[in-house]
Amino acid sequence: MSYSKTALDQLEAGQIDDYKESLEKALANDSDDMLYSLAEEVYSLGFSKDASTIYEHLAQKYPEDDGLKINLAELAIDDDHDDQALNYLSQVAPDSDEYVRSLMVAADLYQTQGMFEISEQKLLAAQKLAPDEDVIKFALAEFYFTTRNYRKAINLYLDLIKSGTLEMSAVNLVERLGVSYAEIGKFEQALGYLEQMKPIHMNSDVKFELAFTYFNLKEYQKAIKAFQDLRDSDPQYSSLYPYLADAYVNLKRVDEALKAIQEGISIDQFNEKIWQKAGQIALMDNEDELALTYFKKGHEIAPEDVELLTLLSDWYIAHERYSDNLALLEAVSDEHVVDAHLAYNLAQSYQDAGNIKKADQNYELAAHELSDNPDFLKHAALFYREAGQLEPERKYLKKYLDLVPGDIEMASMYEEDQDL
């Protein structure tokens, strides 16, 4: 029996001290082929440093063996010794038979470092040298998929699938292709691939993409069934609940939508978008106070979320709780640029509080974007009328009547002003 075989047996038996001793004897006595196999085995068992020791021993005997340098580079990457890995890879010359492999290892390294442009360059260089190599096409497709460049990924996955390759490195290419189509909004193409997946091969992300695709194709019954299937298999997948609720809303099943989004809240209480959706659906279900509770909770979690801030502000305005709206918006208006809609809400609140100067400032601020909004124009005209400011009143009245010429009351008001 070779020392390599003895070392492996001892390692698997947990006899570490004996294993270390046999490893030393193997390095001194066993053939190079045995040592190479031993390195692969100990690495697979998690002993990467010992694998490095063996490869370094072999590299000293065969300094021209570029495969050993790449193996050492991969082990260095595993141990977060990136500079050492790059040093090994730099020793592989472009005319080496192992150069393509070195490019792919380098691409992986640069990708983990967030240097995506260099990673892509390495993969493209490898593809140029070996254009028909499926492993390179797959690596490049996965790179584009990971970096959300789905259109480029699609072409590569399609090329692999057309050649008969449906799976590589435990990755289902049909799944990847379906998800990629869904991510760029080509839902009909996505569905054609996602529906081919057998349930046993569908993980939570793929189940979500299938349900999401049905949703975007407005096949809401199928979407509900698919989202429910995902919920049953992975209830912690919190992203599903807003879409499940929206599917119910689109079928005018608002009570079920509210129950679905409340279930989502119980799963993920720190997702502001779930609270937001819950508030919006509560409003549809005429549960105004419940909607306020949900909007406030969402705003508490994400105070800088402008969409939630606007929904909460709109609720206060709709219920004429102007002082609450002032307290809400004055706390953020100095820190964030207030958009036109929020400026309009502020203007109404300051108007109610009798602060003519600030109401005027916010009406003018909002006017830059809301000059085609009849509701805003009417409010502004009435505000300036109350304030006794004839010129801005007439300006807003005229714009309003251009949009709503049939408003007899406001037209009469405009005629009265002309006589002044």
Side-chain angles (χ1 to χ4, degrees), residues 7 179 219 255 367:
V179 171
E219 296 188 30
D255 287 347

Side-chain angles (χ1 to χ4, degrees), residues 366-381:
H368 293 294
E369 294 183 28
L370 299 181
S371 59
D372 59 350
N373 183 317
D375 180 76
F376 164 76
L377 294 169
K378 184 174 183 179
H379 270 92

Side-chain angles (χ1 to χ4, degrees), residues 138 141-142 144-145 149-163 165-167 171-197 206 209-210 213:
F138 172 70
E142 286 290 281
Y144 287 133
F145 185 88
N149 195 336
Y150 297 109
R151 294 183 187 277
K152 288 185 177 180
I154 284 170
N155 292 331
L156 291 159
Y157 287 133
L158 274 173
D159 194 22
L160 288 166
I161 290 172
K162 286 176 181 177
S163 70
T165 304
L166 302 181
E167 184 174 310
V171 173
N172 189 300
L173 304 190
V174 176
E175 166 209 321
R176 284 286 202 260
L177 189 55
V179 171
S180 296
Y181 274 125
E183 289 290 341
I184 64 171
K186 293 192 174 182
F187 298 110
E188 290 183 0
Q189 293 94 324
L191 194 60
Y193 290 99
L194 293 174
E195 285 187 330
Q196 293 181 40
M197 300 290 297
V206 179
E209 290 291 350
L210 176 60
T213 299

Side-chain angles (χ1 to χ4, degrees), residues 142 176 187 203 221 254 322 345 353 396-397 405:
E142 286 290 281
R176 284 286 202 260
F187 298 110
N203 60 28
Q221 290 284 13
V254 180
Y322 299 110
N345 285 358
Y396 286 111
L397 264 178

Side-chain angles (χ1 to χ4, degrees), residues 299 309 312-314 316 323-333:
H299 176 64
L309 179 68
L312 181 54
S313 175
D314 285 348
Y316 286 137
S323 60
D324 287 329
N325 186 59
L326 277 180
L328 173 70
L329 296 184
E330 284 184 332
V332 299
S333 60

Side-chain angles (χ1 to χ4, degrees), residues 283-324:
L283 283 179
M284 296 177 197
D285 208 31
N286 298 314
E287 296 280 358
D288 282 14
E289 291 300 321
L290 185 59
L292 174 61
T293 299
Y294 290 153
F295 288 145
K296 288 172 72 174
K297 184 63 178 179
H299 176 64
E300 179 185 322
I301 294 170
E304 295 188 0
D305 188 308
V306 175
E307 191 174 6
L308 258 169
L309 179 68
T310 302
L311 286 167
L312 181 54
S313 175
D314 285 348
W315 192 99
Y316 286 137
I317 293 297
H319 293 80
E320 298 184 355
R321 288 173 54 171
Y322 299 110
S323 60
D324 287 329

